[in-house]
Amino acid sequence: MEEAKEFLQLNKEEAESVSRLTIHPHRLGFQCSFYEDFALRGIRVDSVQPGFVSCTFRVPPRLTDKSGNLATGAVANLVDEVGGAIVHVEGLTMNVSVDMSISFLGTAKLNDELQITSKVLGRRGSYSGVIVLVRNKVTGELIAEGRHSLFDKHGSKL
């Protein structure tokens, strides 16, 4: 634990740099949060149909690990966000993620263009299940397959 604390300690220059940051409060429904902007900036929605969405995303440097691959946490975030978007009802709060299962089948490198598709598998009451596929758009290689379960506290209908 001490090693982790030491690793996270900022030196004087870093502390001064952080203290100069201005982060304005998030206005829900009007703008992206810092987190959404950091994780999703650059994603492009290509196609939307009932129960299906397809997006394109180029792997940016900010989401790569030390090996230059798209970080597994970034893949999990894409599964969460794109999977949640397919069952979201405009004007209501986002659904709650109940469970995610992700199979990591390949790697994506910096600047690889990815195709991310999400499809609703089914819905029972307020519970929805979706599948999210992350592929290399050029080679067709399947990078990850995610199954995502969500709960809608409003009980909305798709």
Side-chain angles (χ1 to χ4, degrees):
M1 185 66 155
E2 291 304 316
E3 284 183 48
K5 284 182 182 178
E6 275 183 43
F7 180 77
L8 295 173
Q9 285 291 352
L10 301 177
N11 64 36
K12 185 178 178 182
E13 182 180 316
E14 292 168 333
E16 288 174 6
S17 181
V18 169
S19 71
R20 289 191 299 270
L21 288 175
T22 303
I23 299 176
H24 301 285
H26 177 235
R27 294 178 0 173
L28 187 62
F30 292 101
Q31 59 192 160
C32 291
S33 68
F34 171 81
Y35 173 78
E36 291 166 329
D37 183 54
F38 182 82
L40 298 174
R41 184 179 339 120
I43 197 165
R44 185 178 71 233
V45 178
D46 298 322
S47 173
V48 177
Q49 300 169 19
F52 176 84
V53 67
S54 177
C55 303
T56 303
F57 186 71
R58 188 171 300 277
V59 177
R62 69 182 181 278
L63 299 179
T64 57
D65 61 19
K66 63 184 176 184
S67 302
N69 297 323
L70 179 63
T72 55
V75 173
N77 184 68
L78 289 168
V79 169
D80 186 28
E81 293 290 337
V82 178
I86 194 68
V87 294
H88 176 66
V89 176
E90 188 65 34
L92 298 178
T93 56
M94 291 298 286
N95 296 334
V96 177
S97 295
V98 176
D99 182 55
M100 271 196 307
S101 174
I102 303 170
S103 297
F104 296 93
L105 305 166
T107 57
K109 294 285 189 190
L110 176 65
N111 292 321
D112 280 356
E113 191 171 25
L114 305 178
Q115 179 182 33
I116 306 160
T117 58
S118 180
K119 181 179 179 185
V120 175
L121 295 173
R123 184 178 183 103
R124 183 168 298 232
S126 296
Y127 183 81
S128 299
V130 302
I131 186 166
V132 179
L133 300 176
V134 180
R135 292 185 182 279
N136 182 306
K137 195 166 185 177
V138 173
T139 67
E141 177 190 10
L142 190 58
I143 305 301
E145 175 184 279
R147 292 187 180 252
H148 190 191
S149 303
L150 302 110
F151 180 77
D152 177 5
K153 63 184 176 184
H154 301 288
S156 305
K157 304 293 182 225
L158 284 178

